[in-house]
Amino acid sequence: MKVTITKQCMGDRNCNDLCPEVFAYDEDDLLSKVKVDPIPGHLENIVRQAADECGADAIIIEE
Ligand code: SF4
């Protein structure tokens, strides 16, 4: 699984709270970033949850 975050991110950091192993907030760009590629298997389900919950639909998953 590969994950990217688009510029639609509104910076509420919900994904950071759900899975800090994968998502981190970039204070310079004012968006969240993905820290790991590929996503470790044991984190795939929580990453899918983060994408589902993202109010900006900014988390793009490639399986
Ligand atoms: S949940 Fe979505 S909008 Fe919120 S910080 Fe993460 S990518 Fe950005």
Side-chain angles (χ1 to χ4, degrees):
M1 175 192 280
K2 178 180 173 65
V3 176
T4 51
I5 294 180
T6 72
K7 293 193 184 310
Q8 288 175 291
C9 170
M10 56 190 179
D12 67 359
R13 307 188 198 198
N14 186 64
C15 56
N16 299 213
D17 292 340
L18 270 176
C19 190
E21 297 93 336
V22 172
F23 300 106
Y25 191 68
D26 186 317
E27 299 284 353
D28 294 326
D29 288 346
L30 303 179
L31 342 134
S32 285
K33 298 281 172 75
V34 177
K35 304 194 304 188
V36 290
D37 178 30
I39 303 300
H42 70 287
L43 297 174
E44 288 185 352
N45 282 343
I46 194 74
V47 166
R48 287 190 190 97
Q49 182 182 340
D52 285 346
E53 290 187 10
C54 176
D57 287 335
I59 300 175
I60 308 300
I61 293 176
E62 296 169 54
E63 299 282 358

